[in-house]
Amino acid sequence: MLTTRPVGRGAAARKYDILTALGAHALAAGRSEQILALRLITLITARYNWGRDELTVGQREIARLWSVDERTVKREMAKLRGRGWLELLRAGARGRVAEYRLGIERLMQDTRPGWERVGPDFAHRLEETPADDKVVPLPLRGEVPPPDPSDGSEWSLARTVLHAEEPGLYASWIRALTRTGRAGGRLTLAAPSRFHAAYVETHLTARLLAACRAVDDGVTEIVLTVG
């Protein structure tokens, strides 16, 4: 996933990817979310220092840019910090404004549902794994509840194992997979989208198979479908 800072080689494309992801997210959301995202996009476009990877601007200037009062600026900046979309680098003091930088990992996580609406090429680019081909789980917001294994199926039990081993990976990619059937040793799982299915099939099939075989050695194959 796109988590590198938007500086250096390829920085221009990463900047546009961040803004596109945020815009697509906003366009599918309600009015208050759209306003918050538009304010951040405008602030980034107008005042973000990409060379230093920081935002240094006073509340009065932000209020003028957003056409609001400073009380609204305080409230909206607090929302952005609370979400992790902005990270405080240095608090403001007398004669010195606060310094922030983009919380890229959190912003990418929160906007992920809208990536495929931009296009499969865009989603694929943002989901590319690091060079060592290891899957990097996303940061979590709060605890991820464990799955319910009460039906006793091999997939429910395997999900429990996977959750215990790596809850971030489980929350990002595994939780959404549902069991649709079993024929002999072939277990069929459904993903919520074509992209999700392709990503899991490419990067996680061996891991899912190992977890399933740990609870039922009769499973010999995992098949991904969309449904």
Side-chain angles (χ1 to χ4, degrees), residues 193-216:
S193 68
R194 288 191 300 274
F195 176 76
H196 197 114
Y199 188 91
V200 171
E201 187 172 30
T202 301
H203 299 288
L204 296 177
T205 299
R207 190 162 190 168
L208 299 186
L209 181 59
C212 288
R213 289 183 59 80
V215 298
D216 182 347

Side-chain angles (χ1 to χ4, degrees), residues 82-105:
R83 291 187 176 205
W85 289 6
L86 284 180
E87 301 171 356
L88 182 65
L89 297 177
R90 187 172 68 172
R94 184 179 296 273
R96 186 186 70 200
V97 300
E99 295 179 7
Y100 303 88
R101 74 173 181 181
L102 285 173
I104 293 176
E105 290 189 2

Side-chain angles (χ1 to χ4, degrees), residues 12-172:
R14 291 197 292 275
K15 296 172 193 175
Y16 282 115
D17 285 345
I18 292 167
L19 294 172
T20 300
L22 188 55
H25 165 79
L27 289 169
R31 177 177 171 77
S32 61
E33 184 77 359
Q34 289 179 347
I35 292 173
L36 182 66
L38 178 59
R39 284 171 174 164
L40 178 58
I41 289 171
T42 305
L43 189 58
I44 292 170
T45 305
R47 289 291 179 261
Y48 203 82
N49 186 326
W50 296 103
R52 298 181 59 180
D53 192 20
E54 68 178 26
L55 173 69
T56 305
V57 59
Q59 291 184 358
R60 183 175 300 176
E61 187 176 356
I62 297 174
R64 185 170 60 249
L65 178 65
W66 288 353
S67 298
V68 298
D69 56 32
E70 291 186 42
R71 181 183 301 177
T72 300
V73 171
K74 289 182 179 180
R75 184 177 65 248
E76 296 292 88
M77 293 297 281
K79 287 181 183 178
L80 293 169
R81 286 180 59 192
R83 291 187 176 205
W85 289 6
L86 284 180
E87 301 171 356
L88 182 65
L89 297 177
R90 187 172 68 172
R94 184 179 296 273
R96 186 186 70 200
V97 300
E99 295 179 7
Y100 303 88
R101 74 173 181 181
L102 285 173
I104 293 176
E105 290 189 2
R106 176 62 64 188
L107 197 153
M108 291 293 99
Q109 178 183 2
D110 290 350
T111 60
R112 172 185 274 170
W115 296 354
E116 288 192 348
R117 291 194 296 272
V118 180
D121 58 328
F122 179 82
H124 178 72
R125 184 167 66 251
L126 266 61
E127 289 287 7
E128 283 182 343
T129 54
D132 60 4
D133 205 36
K134 293 181 180 178
V135 177
V136 180
L138 297 176
L140 301 181
R141 176 173 294 181
E143 294 185 0
V144 178
D148 180 10
S150 60
D151 65 9
S153 71
E154 75 288 272
W155 178 236
S156 294
L157 296 173
R159 277 161 48 99
T160 302
V161 171
L162 292 162
H163 173 273
E165 289 178 347
E166 217 168 325
L169 187 66
Y170 169 83
S172 300

